[in-house]
């Protein structure tokens, strides 16, 4: 079997990257990107997260990569001793810090552990890096949630942080600490301030995936209603595989800096819902039910980013529009349903291994 990931061609040793949160949506896409660029990739994995490793299955099946250029290590973000030992041994050139409790709604239920992992986890990593003899470049994946109820729209790297959710507060802390370590301790530490980015690999409790899963299931008679919170909020939704390219580009610059990664275009949750149901020939109004459980104690009404700095300095430009992202997610969820219904059918098994390209759904 030939490998999907090229080997590093020059005589120089391959670059070494470490990804926290490698089993997540972004971690899995970033891992594929770095492997395709010739990196050796080390990933930190929570000991109880084995069920979510399906996103890495295509790489595990590649015998030229897993165990040769991709290595996974158990380490929770609060396990400073283990992380320090790993970083001292691996000596990565680049660290991509993606791990943490990332569900905004859930952060109201578990604010302490959200801050423990998302905020303090970042500080602990920065402290370890500060002491290393060979300091790696560090990227913190920040979030538009730091802007909360923003003072300006669209938001850019200079917009003041005004978080209104425990997750947003934790990310504001992590973002500020990353800047502080860059300025005070001369670390090559950067923030990617990411707006919502989606894909067929998105977690099932986020609104986009919840909608596309439901649209697919309802269209084949497996579900009747979709219970959700408010449809009024507006978000700037991009396509996750494009965002990990921006993350990589940030660490390839001569100087460390912070960048907004966004499309610059906003849509309401209702527009997303309507587009997904139209993709399967249904009217969302026939299937939507409001459920108070999904209304948040404080809602971030509208976030839209200004990615001009990333366009100008990195040459990073997102390509996929909302319709193509929705189409790719609905198609993948229909494939997953078929795979479960017809496990011996080869076509149905393609859902995880080769998610449809977002641009394929533009027609
Ligand atoms: C950039 C940022 O992006 C994400 O955070 P998020 O924007 O909160 O994403 P979401 O998909 O959970 O909600 C989007 C909107 O949809 C509304 N909504 C309605 N009804 C349901 C509902 O039933 N479920 C959910 N989850 N949301 C609902 C909800 O109230 C909100 O207004 C994370 O990746 C985060 O880590 C991050 O950094």
């Amino acid at each position: 079997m030939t490998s999907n990931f090229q080997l590093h061609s020059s005589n120089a040793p391959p670059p070494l990257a470490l990804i926290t949160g490698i089993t997540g949506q972004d971690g899995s896409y970033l891992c594929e990107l770095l492997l395709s660029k010739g990196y050796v990739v080390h990933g930190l994995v929570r000991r109880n997260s084995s069920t979510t490793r399906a996103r890495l299955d295509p790489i595990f099946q590649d015998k030229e990569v897993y165990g040769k250029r991709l290595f996974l290590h158990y380490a929770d973000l609060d396990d400073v001793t283990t992380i320090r030992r790993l970083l001292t041994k691996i000596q990565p050139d680049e660290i991509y810090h993606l791990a943490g409790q990332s569900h905004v709604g859930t952060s109201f239920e578990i604010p302490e552990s959200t801050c423990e992992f998302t905020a303090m986890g970042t500080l602990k990593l920065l402290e370890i890096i500060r002491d290393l003899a060979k300091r790696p470049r560090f990227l913190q994946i920040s979030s538009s949630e730091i802007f909360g109820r923003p003072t300006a729209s669209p938001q850019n790297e200079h917009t003041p942080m005004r978080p209104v959710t425990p997750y947003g507060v934790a990310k504001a802390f992590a973002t500020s600490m990353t800047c502080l370590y860059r300025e005070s301790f001369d670390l090559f530490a950067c923030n990617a301030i990411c707006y919502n980015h989606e894909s067929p690999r998105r977690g099932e409790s986020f609104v986009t995936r919840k909608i596309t899963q439901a649209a697919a299931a309802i269209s084949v008679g497996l579900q009747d209603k979709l219970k959700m919170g408010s449809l009024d909020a507006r978000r700037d939704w991009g396509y996750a595989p494009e965002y990990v390219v921006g993350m990589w580009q940030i660490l390839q610059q001569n100087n460390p800096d912070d960048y907004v990664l966004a499309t610059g275009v906003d849509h309401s949750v209702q527009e997303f819902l309507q587009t997904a149901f139209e993709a399967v020939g249904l009217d969302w109004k026939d299937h939507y039910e409001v459920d108070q459980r999904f209304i948040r104690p404080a809602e971030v009404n509208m976030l839209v980013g200004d990615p001009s700095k990333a366009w100008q300095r990195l040459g990073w430009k997102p390509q996929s529009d909302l319709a193509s992202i929705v189409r790719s997610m609905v198609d993948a969820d229909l494939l997953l349903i078929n795979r479960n219904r017809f496990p011996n059918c080869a076509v149905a098994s393609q859902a995880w291994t080769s998610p449809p390209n977002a641009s394929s759904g533009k027609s």
Side-chain angles (χ1 to χ4, degrees), residues 98-112:
L98 279 65
Q101 195 299 100
S102 65
H103 197 279
V104 176
T106 306
S107 76
F108 285 98
E109 290 165 37
I110 49 166
E112 280 186 40

Side-chain angles (χ1 to χ4, degrees), residues 20-21 44 46 75-80 83 97-101 116-118 120-122 124-125 128:
T20 74
L44 297 193
R46 260 186 307 144
D76 286 1
L77 283 181
D78 56 355
D79 190 344
V80 171
I83 295 179
H97 177 39
L98 279 65
Q101 195 299 100
E116 194 54 48
F117 289 109
T118 304
M120 288 304 292
T122 305
K124 286 171 181 170
L125 265 178
I128 296 170

Side-chain angles (χ1 to χ4, degrees), residues 26 140-145 167 191-197 236 243 247 250 259-262:
D26 294 0
Q140 200 263 137
I141 308 308
S142 182
S143 164
S144 50
E145 279 288 311
Y167 171 79
N191 289 298
I193 305 168
C194 293
Y195 283 64
N196 302 52
H197 45 287
D236 177 334
Y243 283 53
M247 294 173 195
I250 292 172
Y259 295 87
V260 161
L261 299 183

Side-chain angles (χ1 to χ4, degrees), residues 102 143-144 167 196 202 205 207 210 229-230 233 235 296 299:
S102 65
S143 164
S144 50
Y167 171 79
N196 302 52
R202 186 59 145 147
S205 61
V207 81
K210 183 172 169 178
S230 164
R235 291 288 184 274
R296 297 175 181 176
E299 181 58 275

